[in-house]
Amino acid sequence: MANILTAAEAANFVRTDTSDAVMLMLLPQVDAFVKKATGHDWAADSTIHQIAKAAAGMLLVQWYDNPSQIGPDTPLAFGLTNALSQLEAEAHKAEQIEQEH
């Protein structure tokens, strides 16, 4: 299963190599958090929205740098909160378009 971020993209965000075990372990958790926060499975899209990649990257950095913040009650940085809000709006817009067809 693909993640929102590829290993190479994730490694660039946290400045590590693509085989970093901690980073690779966090990727599905980041996807699950973004999916729950926005109501859309961005990793399942054929082309992943750039804001989803940005939000996933911000969350990955936060959790990678401070593992004590991993989880659903994570206090979110302002930029991440804004990105998740934009993604939620995009998900609602896509849902409306689907319902119309």
Side-chain angles (χ1 to χ4, degrees), residues 49-85:
H49 200 290
Q50 288 301 308
I51 297 174
K53 287 187 176 283
M58 287 185 267
L59 187 58
L60 177 64
V61 168
Q62 183 173 336
W63 287 357
Y64 187 87
D65 289 346
N66 190 352
S68 68
Q69 292 188 3
I70 295 173
D73 297 327
T74 299
L76 302 176
F78 181 71
L80 178 54
T81 302
N82 286 341
L84 292 171
S85 295

Side-chain angles (χ1 to χ4, degrees), residues 88-101:
E88 187 176 18
E90 288 293 326
H92 287 300
K93 189 184 331 178
E95 186 178 298
Q96 287 176 342
I97 290 170
E98 278 184 28
Q99 290 175 357
E100 291 173 0
H101 291 95

Side-chain angles (χ1 to χ4, degrees), residues 1-88:
M1 181 178 158
N3 296 105
I4 294 172
L5 296 173
T6 65
E9 291 167 334
N12 283 335
F13 272 105
V14 294
R15 296 182 174 94
T16 190
D17 60 82
T18 57
S19 61
D20 184 303
V22 173
M23 177 197 71
L24 294 173
M25 182 260 322
L26 287 172
L27 290 178
Q29 294 178 46
V30 166
D31 292 352
F33 188 96
V34 173
K35 179 181 177 181
K36 185 173 183 177
T38 64
H40 181 79
D41 185 0
W42 299 97
D45 290 351
S46 58
T47 302
I48 299 174
H49 200 290
Q50 288 301 308
I51 297 174
K53 287 187 176 283
M58 287 185 267
L59 187 58
L60 177 64
V61 168
Q62 183 173 336
W63 287 357
Y64 187 87
D65 289 346
N66 190 352
S68 68
Q69 292 188 3
I70 295 173
D73 297 327
T74 299
L76 302 176
F78 181 71
L80 178 54
T81 302
N82 286 341
L84 292 171
S85 295
Q86 290 175 21
L87 285 174
E88 187 176 18

